[in-house]
Amino acid sequence: MPRTERECRFARTSLVGADSLFATIGILLGELLWGFGPHPSMAFSQQLASSTTEVTAEESREKLAAQRFLALLKRSPRLGTALDKVYGYHVSLGTLDSFTESLRLEATQSNDGKLWLVLGMVQMQRGQDAAAVEALERAEKMLPTEHLSSYYLGKTLLLIGELDRAAEAMRRAIERKPARGDALQIFQDLGRVYQRTGRSEQALAIWSELERLFPNDAGVQEQIAAILAEEGAEQAALERYAALAKSSKDRFRQVEMSVRAAQLKAKLGNSAEALQDFESQLTVVNPDSWLYRDIRRRIEEVFWSSGDLDGLVSYYTQWTAAHPDDVDAMLRNARVLSIQKRGPESQQWFRKALEKAPSNVEARQALIESLAVADNHAAAAEEMRQLVEIEPDNPDFIVRWGELVLSDNAQSVPDRQAAATGIWKRMLATRGDDPVAVARVADLLRGAELIEPAIEHYRKAISLAENEPQYREYLGEFLQQLQRQEEALAVWEGIASDARHTRDNIVRLSEVLSTFHYDELALEKMAEACQMKPTFGHRARYAELLREAGRVDQALEQLDLAEPMADDQELRELVIDERIKNYQARGDLADQITQLEASVAGPAKIDPAAWRLLALMREANRAFQPACDAIEQSTSLAPENTLVWETNGT
């Protein structure tokens, strides 16, 4: 039967495999309840016991757990785990309708308010709000001291838009003197109702009553303040946060509450006072802490929220005048100026920060990029030089220094190239034997259009790592780009020459040659590799290259050799797909389909794999309905074969 979204959320996965839960809670509580109360022999228990079908041990455990959770629920009705378990059990069995009806019948016959409450809770879960209201109203009348019936009634009335009645029900719940935990939640919900309906005075009365109920409880005060802030009552929330900041003895809590109060002042339009409050907190917080940075961020939000970037610049200018050693404020001011495209002023502030902290890498990098954006590459390069002096072993800084020098249009191209080369070679002073570093320098020289020096460094990297093929690939690619094909081929041949003449290196050489469209050479190398104990992948790749070269018969031969090596379904599927592509390339896919059709009409008629292959071939030939017919035949022959069903689904 159809299930609502709420029902589906309570799947029976919460019941399956919960042996420890049953041992510690379900069994003990169930037996305790049965020992001190009447045996649950009413409608639901009879329903569970009436099944005559054979059940598994797991199903028996689930049934027993559901019985015991229901007994607990009837004894102490409350939204929570017990209801979820019972509800989920019936959702999984599809018996929620009959269970709900049995509860209604039992409640009517017994005239038990707790049963009406349980029924109302089940209907709440189902989203049957009108029916839930009816059941909960009955429960409320029959249980004059039970606060949950009134509270749940109020929650349900909220869902159907009956705000006045919802507020009245929650007020009755409060009058029934709930326990502390429930009282706090009911007060909060009732206060939200009043806030959202514009009944400020009634809301204020609720918060005051809650505060009297929990005197000197900072947690309750904070919850009230948070709700007020969320519901738009900023002034009331501000008063409570300010009071919390004064009363708290914990330093961190004082700062936290003060910051929240300052945020609300800014939101209420009192930005000047909010900024003063933020600043006062900065004086008591460690400047290196995340909290200090967070307060700075909130200060900036005051200006960002109104788009007043000029005001933010003025604020930081005044702040640094009073706090001349605040490097962080100088950097923030510089960044805001940079965002405003006020480059010279931004650079001035970066330099002020560097005067105070010459070794501040972040500040110098920001200045460098600001200068580079302004096309002042000479000044940027000079700042980068100083940064390299601070961290001489940082290769990224050296690379950037050379790039800035190379971009300086005030110098001639040869002078720039020579200067950049000298800078980049600094990386080799301590790492001259590292092929990675040498190849990186070669890449930089290549980008600077220094062809022969780049080739020289690529060759040096090769000599430092004779058996690592990537460096020959890099050099060969560069030579190919320069239209020096013979040299490129000679370099690439070295990948699999002499002691490096192995199957894997030959395969890699073949792939490189194929990438640069040396197709015949790539085929030759792959053929050579396939004479040296090839894997499935080698055979399959060789077949693909043969097909692309138009040698379909040879490609199919390689697939015949590869197929026995396919040790999983994915590889077998690859062979099937590649065969179909070859039939298409040869132009005889229709003939192959005809032959297979004759086969499945004969001895292969009951072979689901043959029917599935026929479906795939028909699909490739764009005969979609016949393909569907074939896969349905395969499905009927192999109903438990997931592969066939996956094909059917696609």
Side-chain angles (χ1 to χ4, degrees):
M1 64 179 65
R3 301 180 185 174
T4 68
E5 181 180 351
R6 290 193 186 185
E7 291 167 14
C8 292
R9 288 184 303 174
F10 293 89
R12 70 167 173 174
T13 53
S14 59
L15 288 172
V16 175
D19 293 345
S20 60
L21 176 63
F22 304 144
T24 58
I25 299 177
I27 293 175
L28 292 177
L29 277 177
E31 296 203 4
L32 181 62
L33 291 171
W34 286 9
F36 288 92
H39 193 282
S41 57
M42 295 180 242
F44 171 53
S45 301
Q46 294 169 349
Q47 176 188 350
L48 291 177
S50 64
S51 174
T52 58
T53 58
E54 184 177 352
V55 295
T56 65
E58 182 178 311
E59 290 170 338
S60 297
R61 287 196 301 271
E62 291 180 6
K63 182 184 294 185
L64 179 61
Q67 286 178 321
R68 291 174 174 173
F69 276 119
L70 181 61
L72 175 61
L73 193 61
K74 289 179 178 180
R75 186 176 183 87
S76 180
R78 172 181 287 275
L79 293 175
T81 301
L83 177 63
D84 291 349
K85 297 296 186 181
V86 174
Y87 191 89
Y89 176 77
H90 284 286
V91 168
S92 68
L93 293 182
T95 57
L96 200 51
D97 284 339
S98 59
F99 168 59
T100 304
E101 187 55 35
S102 72
L103 272 178
R104 178 182 295 279
L105 179 62
E106 186 178 353
T108 302
Q109 292 175 346
S110 64
N111 206 30
D112 186 340
K114 288 187 176 181
L115 289 175
W116 283 108
L117 179 52
V118 173
L119 175 62
M121 289 156 49
V122 171
Q123 289 166 331
M124 287 174 67
Q125 296 284 42
R126 301 190 71 178
Q128 298 174 342
D129 298 324
V133 166
E134 180 185 350
L136 292 168
E137 285 178 333
R138 292 198 180 196
E140 187 181 31
K141 290 178 181 178
M142 296 178 186
L143 303 170
T145 61
E146 174 55 67
H147 65 281
L148 289 177
S149 57
S150 301
Y151 177 46
Y152 294 161
L153 175 60
K155 289 171 69 70
T156 308
L157 288 167
L158 275 178
L159 295 175
I160 61 176
E162 296 279 356
L163 301 184
D164 290 337
R165 292 178 62 197
E168 292 169 2
M170 289 185 183
R171 168 52 74 182
R172 291 195 298 274
I174 291 173
E175 291 170 354
R176 295 182 176 196
K177 306 298 182 183
R180 175 189 173 93
D182 288 342
L184 182 58
Q185 187 61 56
I186 297 169
F187 269 103
Q188 289 178 358
D189 286 352
L190 179 55
R192 287 181 187 274
V193 172
Y194 286 144
Q195 292 288 164
R196 292 176 184 179
T197 55
R199 306 178 198 181
S200 301
E201 291 185 6
Q202 290 171 288
L204 182 59
I206 283 294
W207 302 133
S208 299
E209 187 176 346
L210 181 57
E211 288 167 340
R212 287 194 299 273
L213 188 62
F214 299 98
N216 303 319
D217 190 322
V220 171
Q221 289 278 353
E222 185 178 346
Q223 285 180 296
I224 294 173
I227 292 171
L228 289 167
E230 289 172 11
E231 300 299 331
E234 287 91 356
Q235 185 60 46
L238 170 58
E239 293 170 2
R240 283 165 172 78
Y241 279 131
L244 284 167
K246 289 181 180 179
S247 63
S248 178
K249 296 181 180 180
D250 181 87
R251 184 176 177 183
F252 176 81
R253 294 281 293 167
Q254 289 175 356
V255 173
E256 184 183 16
M257 296 300 105
S258 297
V259 167
R260 291 187 186 181
Q263 281 184 285
L264 288 170
K265 287 181 181 180
K267 193 172 182 180
L268 288 167
N270 194 353
S271 298
E273 189 174 342
L275 291 173
Q276 290 178 0
D277 290 348
F278 282 132
E279 290 172 3
S280 67
Q281 297 310 310
L282 288 177
T283 62
V284 299
V285 174
N286 183 351
D288 296 325
S289 69
W290 68 269
L291 189 54
Y292 191 93
R293 294 190 296 274
D294 182 68
I295 295 172
R296 271 270 158 84
R297 178 182 62 80
R298 296 178 190 276
I299 290 173
E300 293 181 354
E301 282 179 356
V302 174
F303 296 94
W304 279 104
S305 62
S306 60
D308 186 13
L309 294 189
D310 289 338
L312 182 55
V313 170
S314 297
Y315 170 80
Y316 275 132
T317 301
Q318 295 172 13
W319 174 269
T320 52
H323 304 82
D325 294 327
D326 192 338
V327 174
D328 178 67
M330 295 176 187
L331 290 175
R332 288 173 180 271
N333 203 18
R335 292 191 188 97
V336 176
L337 288 164
S338 181
I339 291 170
Q340 291 185 295
K341 308 297 182 184
R342 295 162 65 178
E345 294 173 84
S346 172
Q347 294 160 21
Q348 181 183 0
W349 278 97
F350 281 128
R351 292 187 187 283
K352 284 184 178 181
L354 287 170
E355 287 175 7
K356 296 292 182 180
S359 61
N360 189 311
V361 172
E362 179 187 2
R364 197 171 297 277
Q365 282 183 302
L367 173 60
I368 289 165
E369 296 311 316
S370 177
L371 291 166
V373 168
D375 291 328
N376 192 350
H377 293 97
E382 172 57 25
E383 295 294 337
M384 200 73 227
R385 181 191 65 77
Q386 295 181 48
L387 191 54
V388 170
E389 288 182 359
I390 295 171
E391 295 188 21
D393 295 326
N394 189 320
D396 293 332
F397 289 173
I398 295 172
V399 169
R400 184 61 178 142
W401 180 18
E403 290 173 343
L404 291 167
V405 168
L406 192 65
S407 300
D408 184 7
N409 293 324
Q411 301 183 54
S412 67
V413 172
D415 288 347
R416 283 185 275 159
Q417 290 176 324
T421 299
I423 290 170
W424 288 330
K425 285 186 175 180
R426 285 178 171 227
M427 289 191 290
L428 304 182
T430 57
R431 300 177 62 194
D433 294 333
D434 182 353
V436 175
V438 174
R440 187 176 188 184
V441 171
D443 289 338
L444 292 166
L445 295 171
R446 174 180 173 178
E449 299 182 356
L450 294 165
I451 295 172
E452 293 307 322
I455 292 174
E456 175 189 345
H457 281 78
Y458 279 130
R459 292 194 184 280
K460 183 178 180 182
I462 291 171
S463 68
L464 291 170
E466 286 283 345
N467 295 322
E468 296 183 30
Q470 64 267 32
Y471 302 112
R472 287 184 169 84
E473 290 181 23
Y474 302 157
L475 176 55
E477 179 189 355
F478 185 33
L479 292 168
Q480 178 71 19
Q481 182 184 357
L482 296 171
Q483 304 297 314
R484 293 159 64 170
Q485 286 90 348
E486 291 186 4
E487 292 180 71
L489 287 170
V491 170
W492 284 329
E493 285 287 346
I495 292 174
S497 64
D498 302 328
R500 296 176 295 280
H501 191 260
T502 64
R503 182 198 63 189
D504 291 343
N505 283 344
I506 295 170
V507 170
R508 184 160 183 166
L509 174 57
S510 174
E511 294 298 340
V512 170
L513 294 169
S514 178
T515 299
F516 291 96
H517 307 293
Y518 292 100
D519 297 331
E520 287 300 320
L521 287 174
L523 268 173
E524 290 177 12
K525 296 301 178 182
M526 190 58 75
E528 183 180 353
C530 284
Q531 300 299 317
M532 305 168 71
K533 296 183 179 179
T535 65
F536 171 88
H538 299 144
R539 292 281 188 199
R541 178 58 177 154
Y542 186 25
E544 184 179 11
L545 291 174
L546 288 166
R547 174 174 56 77
E548 291 172 352
R551 305 181 191 177
V552 173
D553 292 340
Q554 292 175 266
L556 289 169
E557 290 175 4
Q558 289 300 316
L559 290 174
D560 289 338
L561 294 170
E563 189 168 18
M565 305 168 72
D567 54 7
D568 63 47
Q569 187 58 44
E570 184 178 354
L571 299 182
R572 289 190 285 273
E573 290 297 301
L574 189 150
V575 171
I576 292 172
D577 184 57
E578 192 63 30
R579 283 191 192 280
I580 292 173
K581 288 179 181 178
N582 276 279
Y583 297 147
Q584 289 175 314
R586 193 166 61 183
D588 66 343
L589 178 58
D591 294 338
Q592 295 293 331
I593 290 172
T594 300
Q595 292 179 28
L596 187 53
E597 286 172 341
S599 175
V600 296
K605 184 174 183 178
I606 60 173
D607 183 358
W611 282 103
R612 178 175 180 275
L613 176 58
L614 178 59
L616 293 172
M617 292 173 68
R618 283 175 172 174
E619 180 186 29
N621 205 36
R622 303 191 65 77
F624 299 117
Q625 186 55 51
C628 290
D629 295 339
I631 199 60
E632 286 178 5
Q633 182 66 23
S634 180
T635 302
S636 66
L637 292 170
E640 297 180 358
N641 189 321
T642 57
L643 180 63
V644 173
W645 281 103
E646 287 172 5
T647 308
N648 194 11
T650 57

